[in-house]
Amino acid sequence: MSKGGLLYHFGSKDALRDGLLERLDRLTDEDLERARNAPEGVVRYYLRSAITDVTSDLALHRTTMAAIRLVLNDPVAAEVTRRCTGRARELMLEHVEDPLTAELVLLVGEGLYMRAALGEEATESLLGRIDEIAERIEAGEPAEAAVAAGVRKD
């Protein structure tokens, strides 16, 4: 699409940005709903889709990458992106009892996403090991035991 075509549909850079961010919000909500209803559960869905969203070139991936490009220089884009990430964190906390384990799942998913986005060959082999990755994360020490052992919970 040409610059003129974009301006015809959006009128300004801010309107284009706002359209992109509204799309990110909507696609994130749709993805979180799919995660809630996923037969394999939220954790495995999140980890698996961190790779498959990229390798399948889904709309959420393309929109996320466009938003990430804006985040560095645009506080509105940064805020919307933080809200989307926050909603994913809330969903994970609904399904993972320990907050630290929930955060680890999110971080592993973000790492898998980045590797897939960079086209790393190892990503495909990791996709076949999502259940093992999830089991290792889920087998971690519960927060209460960590606190009793003197390990910080935050």
Side-chain angles (χ1 to χ4, degrees):
M1 179 177 275
S2 69
K3 181 178 177 181
L6 285 173
L7 290 175
Y8 174 78
H9 288 288
F10 292 100
S12 70
K13 284 183 183 180
D14 286 346
L16 177 60
R17 178 209 55 211
D18 293 346
L20 172 75
L21 297 175
E22 288 170 11
R23 179 177 169 91
L24 178 64
D25 249 345
R26 180 179 49 79
L27 292 172
T28 297
D29 285 342
E30 291 170 5
D31 189 56
L32 294 175
E33 191 58 32
R34 280 190 298 276
R36 270 187 194 87
N37 297 314
E40 70 267 34
V42 169
V43 170
R44 283 169 177 75
Y45 175 88
Y46 180 79
L47 295 174
R48 191 175 324 282
S49 67
I51 296 172
T52 59
D53 281 7
V54 176
T55 58
S56 301
D57 196 29
L58 296 183
L60 178 57
H61 162 64
R62 293 189 309 272
T63 305
T64 298
M65 294 306 288
I68 287 171
R69 289 183 184 107
L70 292 176
V71 163
L72 297 175
N73 299 311
D74 188 321
V76 174
E79 177 56 33
V80 171
T81 304
R82 276 193 295 273
R83 277 199 323 258
C84 290
T85 302
R87 291 198 310 269
R89 181 172 289 106
E90 289 168 10
L91 176 63
M92 195 61 66
L93 286 168
E94 290 172 18
H95 295 271
V96 177
E97 186 176 325
D98 176 42
L100 179 57
T101 302
E103 195 65 31
L104 289 172
V105 170
L106 293 166
L107 291 169
V108 169
E110 291 165 3
L112 290 169
Y113 183 84
M114 187 55 65
R115 281 185 169 195
L118 293 172
E120 285 195 19
E121 290 179 24
T123 305
E124 283 301 317
S125 67
L126 289 172
L127 182 59
R129 299 180 71 189
I130 292 297
D131 289 332
E132 181 184 348
I133 293 167
E135 287 166 9
R136 287 185 183 202
I137 293 170
E138 292 166 341
E141 186 175 278
E144 295 77 19
V147 171
V151 178
R152 288 179 45 155
K153 188 177 176 180
D154 58 344

